[in-house]
């Protein structure tokens, strides 16, 4: 392009993030959460099959507006640990997310999603929970192994990672979530992004002036 350009990514409005509850009970069973579309393109069945093969106590709740063969297939597993739940209004959903320990942000590694912007993963971190993610460009530009669980989109690798996470102490997961939250706040808070856009436009107008 023969003109000034600026990449403006998806961010998070941290001013709209509700405060954590003051009397949040200690979670005994590890709770995973997935939020978003459930369809063939997302291949959530690969993730669910991997997680359901893991022995032990945990919860995986899937919040989605989708109602299709994929959601029916997940329900047909009849695994009491895994539940498909109705989508919630954004503010209510953000509060609900605080009840979970680990978010799932895995995205199929193909040409469709390689340039996607992981909105829900950023929101997981905005409320302080670490996520299972793969090496997508937008993830790598923000998060490291110190605050995220990087994993390939392969069933066997996902299973091994879930088994490892189940053995981790809760305080370690909390530390990872807070570390990632700080990075998302620094790089993807809409106040930061809007100031960058403002500076870009001002400099562009001056240069063309």
């Amino acid at each position: 392009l023969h003109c000034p350009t600026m990449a403006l990514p998806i961010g998070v409005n941290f001013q709209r993030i509700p405060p954590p509850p003051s009397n949040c009970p200690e979670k005994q069973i590890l709770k995973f959460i997935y939020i978003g579309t459930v369809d063939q393109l997302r291949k959530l069945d690969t993730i669910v099959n991997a997680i359901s093969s893991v022995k032990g106590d945990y919860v995986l709740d899937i919040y989605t507006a989708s109602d299709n063969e994929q959601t029916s297939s997940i329900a047909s597993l009849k695994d009491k640990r895994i539940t498909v739940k109705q989508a919630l209004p954004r503010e209510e959903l953000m509060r609900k997310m605080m009840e979970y320990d680990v978010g799932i942000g895995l995205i199929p590694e193909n040409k469709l999603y390689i340039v996607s912007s992981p909105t829900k993963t950023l929101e997981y971190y905005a409320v302080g929970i670490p996520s299972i993610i793969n090496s997508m460009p937008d993830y790598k530009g923000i998060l490291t192994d110190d605050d995220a669980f990087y994993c390939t989109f392969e069933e066997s690798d996902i299973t091994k990672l879930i088994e490892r996470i189940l053995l981790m102490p809760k305080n370690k997961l909390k530390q990872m979530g807070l570390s990632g939250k700080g990075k998302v706040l620094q790089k993807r808070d809409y106040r930061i992004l809007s100031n960058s856009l403002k500076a870009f436009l001002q400099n562009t107008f001056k240069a063309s002036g």
Side-chain angles (χ1 to χ4, degrees), residues 18-143:
S22 57
N23 57 346
C24 184
E26 181 69 23
K27 298 181 286 292
Q28 300 301 318
I29 297 178
L30 198 72
K31 299 180 69 175
F32 297 90
I33 184 172
Y34 172 90
I35 300 170
T37 302
V38 177
D39 58 22
Q40 283 188 319
L41 293 175
R42 285 283 181 172
K43 297 184 179 180
L44 186 63
D45 56 332
T46 298
I47 299 171
V48 170
N49 288 337
I51 295 177
S52 66
S53 69
V54 176
K55 296 179 180 180
D57 291 330
Y58 63 83
V59 167
L60 167 59
D61 288 335
I62 300 164
Y63 290 86
T64 182
S66 303
D67 182 10
N68 51 34
E69 290 184 8
Q70 293 285 312
T71 54
S72 298
S73 176
I74 294 170
S76 70
L77 292 174
K78 299 189 183 303
D79 189 329
K80 294 181 179 180
R81 303 169 299 179
I82 302 173
T83 307
V84 177
K85 296 179 176 286
Q86 290 293 318
L88 297 174
R90 177 169 293 274
E91 188 171 336
E92 183 179 351
L93 179 61
M94 299 300 285
R95 288 195 296 267
K96 179 63 69 173
M97 286 165 59
M98 297 179 185
E99 300 176 7
Y100 292 85
D101 299 291
V102 179
I104 296 177
L106 289 169
I107 300 174
E109 298 174 15
N110 55 39
K111 291 181 180 179
L112 175 63
Y113 291 119
I114 193 68
V115 293
S116 66
S117 199
T119 310
K120 286 295 178 283
T121 300
L122 297 181
E123 292 178 346
Y124 294 150
Y125 279 99
V127 300
I129 59 176
S131 296
I132 300 171
I133 57 179
N134 42 350
S135 298
M136 308 299 281
D138 211 18
Y139 287 150
K140 297 292 284 185
I142 308 171
L143 303 164

Side-chain angles (χ1 to χ4, degrees), residues 45-54 106 132 150-164:
D45 56 332
T46 298
I47 299 171
V48 170
N49 288 337
I51 295 177
S52 66
S53 69
V54 176
L106 289 169
I132 300 171
Y150 277 96
C151 181
T152 67
F153 205 92
E154 296 291 336
E155 193 169 316
S156 59
D157 288 344
I158 297 170
T159 297
K160 291 176 184 177
L161 177 58
I162 296 297
E163 291 172 341
R164 180 163 67 88

Side-chain angles (χ1 to χ4, degrees), residues 9 140-143 182-189 192-193:
K140 297 292 284 185
I142 308 171
L143 303 164
K183 292 179 180 178
V184 172
L185 176 62
Q186 182 182 27
K187 296 183 178 181
R188 293 297 180 88
D189 184 349
I192 302 295
L193 294 175

